[in-house]
């Protein structure tokens, strides 16, 4: 059974975690424990008194949590059918900032969003979009296990607007680092998750223990830390191979799309610029899931609980109709392995 998320911790990565050379950030780049930590820091710098922040309704609850943690109010924006932020919906809103999430590596038109909200701070959320460009006033990336590259508890914040650099630097200087015991605990946690996601172990035990209903209660504090030194070392090791990995994922996604379309199992299959996942649009999700499972590949209705999560942050049902529709009609298929042509 191939898990939907790539969660691994190879011997090479274990060695790098303990003994490798740490990554040296460039000017304006900050190493954090999560991408959400970068969103909190960016909003603290740009909107110290709080404000109204646009976020897409079809999204992870961690984004809205980061907005609330920064003292701001999330304002939900709809998505288009191809998972871009709906610029037309955006135009009619009063916003102080926008978190532009490039869902599954699908690149948004930042210039169009800037034109729709010329006075809003723009934070580009590339938690799914490693390899996409640094844009907006701030950009965040994730390198967590299950993301791309699938390393460990880590995120990166890029500060593009010079006027916020001093505030970010001050915040970063005050952030705690992982202690040695916390680094050891992280190592053991990553090792355990990797073992649980070995395909034969995952198929026999791990998948059976999972609940597929998704998390409903999602209000939680965001813990801000610097990136673990071990994850920074792994990131330095992984950098030379990331571009090649993206190319392979694109090829795998194309093979998956060709297979499913030729069999009439999906109305459309596409992926983002980095092919983090293949996205299948279908009115019969159950049939498509069964086909993939029969060929040893796990899939999921990613963000199927997005509207339930959003309601906990003030979302009013009917505000974002396309987001509500897509939670029931999109299936995510992994691209780190190809779906066999059978």
């Amino acid at each position: 059974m191939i898990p939907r998320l790539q969660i691994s911790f190879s011997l090479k990565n274990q060695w790098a975690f303990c003994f490798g050379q740490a990554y040296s950030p460039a000017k304006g780049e900050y190493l954090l424990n999560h991408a959400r930590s970068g969103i909190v820091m960016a909003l603290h710098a740009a909107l110290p008194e709080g404000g109204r922040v646009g976020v897409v309704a079809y999204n992870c609850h961690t984004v809205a949590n980061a907005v609330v943690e920064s003292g701001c109010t999330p304002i939900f924006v709809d998505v288009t059918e191809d998972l871009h932020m709906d610029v037309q919906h955006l135009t009619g809103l009063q916003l102080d900032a926008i978190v532009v999430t490039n869902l599954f590596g699908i690149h948004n038109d930042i210039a169009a969003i800037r034109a729709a909200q010329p006075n809003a701070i723009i934070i580009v959320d590339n938690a799914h979009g490693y390899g996409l460009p640094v844009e907006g006033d701030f950009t965040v990336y994730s390198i967590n296990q299950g993301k791309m590259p699938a390393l460990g508890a880590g995120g990166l914040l890029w500060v593009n607007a010079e006027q916020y650099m001093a505030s970010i630097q001050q915040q970063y200087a005050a952030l705690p680092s992982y202690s040695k015991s916390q680094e050891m605990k992280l190592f053991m946690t990553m090792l355990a998750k990797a073992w649980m996601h070995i395909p034969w172990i995952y198929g026999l035990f791990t998948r059976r223990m999972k609940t597929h209903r998704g998390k409903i209660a999602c209000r939680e504090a965001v813990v801000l830390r610097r990136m673990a030194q071990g994850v920074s070392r792994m990131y330095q090791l992984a950098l030379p191979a990331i571009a090649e990995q993206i190319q392979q994922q694109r090829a795998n996604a194309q093979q998956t799309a060709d297979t499913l379309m030729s069999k009439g199992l999906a109305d459309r299959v596409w992926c983002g610029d980095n092919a983090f996942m293949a996205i299948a649009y279908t009115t019969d999700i159950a049939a498509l899931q069964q086909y993939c499972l029969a060929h040893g590949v796990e899939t999921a209705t990613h963000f199927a609980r997005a509207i339930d999560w959003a309601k906990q942050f003030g979302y009013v049902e009917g505000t974002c109709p396309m987001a509500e529709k897509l939670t029931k009609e999109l299936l995510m298929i992994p691209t780190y392995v190809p779906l066999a042509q059978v």
Side-chain angles (χ1 to χ4, degrees):
M1 169 61 66
I2 301 298
R4 175 176 56 95
L5 298 177
Q6 184 180 21
I7 296 180
S8 61
F9 193 30
S10 67
L11 289 175
K12 183 184 289 186
N13 278 337
Q14 292 171 41
W15 178 90
F17 187 101
C18 298
F19 306 112
Q21 177 185 352
Y23 175 73
S24 297
K27 181 182 177 182
E29 183 183 21
Y30 297 86
L31 307 184
L32 303 167
N33 58 335
H34 296 292
R36 73 197 74 159
S37 298
I39 295 174
V40 173
M41 290 175 64
L43 289 171
H44 276 317
L47 301 174
E49 305 300 322
R52 292 164 56 87
V53 180
V55 298
V56 291
Y58 184 80
N59 209 337
C60 181
H61 55 80
T62 56
V63 176
N65 266 315
V67 171
V68 170
E69 188 75 10
S70 69
C72 297
T73 302
I75 307 298
F76 291 98
V77 183
D78 209 353
V79 291
T80 62
E81 194 170 27
D82 55 0
L83 294 177
H84 291 101
M85 179 174 269
D86 189 334
V87 176
Q88 185 174 354
H89 185 192
L90 191 66
T91 303
L93 300 174
Q94 292 183 340
L95 301 173
D96 300 295
I98 307 166
V99 179
V100 183
T101 301
N102 287 323
L103 293 162
F104 310 108
I106 297 170
H107 185 242
N108 280 271
D109 186 343
I110 303 301
I113 291 170
R114 179 80 78 182
Q117 289 281 342
N119 298 318
I121 305 302
I122 292 181
I123 303 168
V124 178
D125 171 16
N126 275 329
H128 290 174
Y130 193 96
L132 273 67
V134 173
E135 297 179 287
D137 299 292
F138 305 89
T139 302
V140 297
Y141 298 90
S142 176
I143 56 172
N144 205 347
Q145 281 180 310
K147 297 291 176 59
M148 204 300 293
L151 298 178
L156 302 101
L157 166 66
W158 280 88
V159 184
N160 309 319
E162 186 67 33
Q163 65 267 36
Y164 304 121
M165 197 75 75
S167 174
I168 294 294
Q169 183 59 42
Q170 185 178 14
Q171 291 182 64
Y172 190 74
L175 287 183
S177 298
Y178 279 74
S179 65
K180 289 185 178 179
S181 62
Q182 287 170 331
E183 290 262 353
M184 184 179 299
K185 181 180 178 181
L186 178 60
F187 181 97
M188 297 307 297
T189 300
M190 291 166 56
L191 187 62
K193 288 173 67 177
W195 271 94
M196 291 176 69
H197 282 76
I198 293 173
W200 72 268
I201 294 177
Y202 189 85
L204 285 177
F205 303 107
T206 310
R207 189 170 184 275
R208 296 182 183 182
M209 293 187 293
K210 290 172 64 178
T211 59
H212 292 277
R213 289 179 56 78
K215 185 176 180 181
I216 299 175
C218 62
R219 295 292 295 266
E220 57 190 16
V222 179
V223 177
L224 278 70
R225 278 200 189 105
R226 298 187 186 189
M227 183 183 291
Q229 279 293 305
V231 176
S232 173
R233 297 184 188 110
M234 290 171 59
Y235 183 51
Q236 176 64 35
L237 176 69
L239 276 173
I242 291 176
E244 182 179 347
Q245 181 182 349
I246 291 173
Q247 286 298 110
Q248 184 61 59
Q249 287 178 175
R250 287 174 180 161
N252 292 345
Q254 186 60 57
Q255 179 176 320
T256 295
D258 291 345
T259 299
L260 298 182
M261 294 295 289
S262 67
K263 295 183 177 299
L265 288 165
D267 300 316
R268 182 186 176 196
V269 183
W270 77 105
C271 63
D273 289 13
N274 65 355
F276 171 58
M277 288 184 184
I279 304 131
Y281 175 80
T282 176
T283 54
D284 192 351
I285 282 181
L288 181 52
Q289 281 189 304
Q290 285 303 313
Y291 175 85
C292 293
L293 281 175
H295 293 86
V297 177
E298 182 189 41
T299 60
T301 50
H302 210 82
F303 300 155
R305 293 281 182 177
I307 301 304
D308 292 329
W309 298 336
K311 286 178 179 177
Q312 297 178 49
F313 297 94
Y315 176 79
V316 177
E317 195 164 355
T319 305
C320 300
M322 183 57 71
E324 294 177 16
K325 178 176 182 286
L326 294 181
T327 58
K328 304 176 182 69
E329 296 178 348
L330 294 182
L331 194 68
M332 307 307 159
I333 304 168
T335 55
Y336 64 93
V337 291
L339 183 64
Q341 292 271 11
V342 291

